Amino acid sequence: MPRPEVLDRIQEAEQEADEIVAEAEQDREDRIAEAREEAEEIRESAREEAETAAEDRLEAAREEIEAEREQIIEDGESARDDLEQQASEQIDEVVEYVTDLFEEAVHAQT
């Protein structure tokens, strides 16, 4: 094979190698870009899932607090009713006691 042909083939091989390297570098950059995009999508998805989970926990806590609040109110109303019942049962005794104290005070002055 004559020298100029060998030189041409070497140059063609070098050019082909340069193209292969350039394609490989472009492919690498494309893959890196895709990986970064995928990583961002994963981060965003995880962020959204975390926000949803936090909102769910917050809603559950609010429901629990509301249930406890209603129970406290119900217990308070029941205790108030019991106290009112006890007080009404003691009205006659209290009137008699106060009357006795008044009569003793009146007798003590005379």
Side-chain angles (χ1 to χ4, degrees):
M1 187 180 273
R3 274 188 103 146
E5 289 178 17
V6 171
L7 185 58
D8 286 342
R9 290 193 64 193
I10 291 173
Q11 288 175 343
E12 288 174 9
E14 286 177 346
Q15 185 176 359
E16 188 177 322
D18 288 343
E19 290 173 3
I20 291 171
V21 169
E23 287 176 17
E25 286 177 355
Q26 184 62 45
D27 186 47
R28 179 182 67 93
E29 290 175 13
D30 292 345
R31 288 183 184 199
I32 289 172
E34 288 175 16
R36 286 184 176 144
E37 287 177 22
E38 186 176 342
E40 182 58 33
E41 290 173 5
I42 291 170
R43 278 193 297 272
E44 184 61 30
S45 176
R47 186 178 304 117
E48 289 172 2
E49 288 176 13
E51 287 176 4
T52 299
E55 289 171 5
D56 291 346
R57 286 192 306 269
L58 182 59
E59 181 62 28
R62 285 182 176 147
E63 289 173 4
E64 184 179 330
I65 289 169
E66 181 61 24
E68 287 179 23
R69 177 185 167 276
E70 289 175 8
Q71 184 63 47
I72 289 168
I73 289 171
E74 184 179 314
D75 291 346
E77 289 173 348
S78 178
R80 182 198 63 211
D81 292 344
D82 290 346
L83 287 172
E84 286 178 354
Q85 179 65 33
Q86 290 174 2
S88 68
E89 290 173 359
Q90 295 177 355
I91 288 176
D92 292 338
E93 292 175 26
V94 170
V95 168
E96 186 177 327
Y97 176 72
V98 170
T99 303
D100 289 345
L101 286 176
F102 179 73
E103 287 175 358
E104 286 176 16
V106 169
H107 289 308
Q109 289 181 357
T110 56

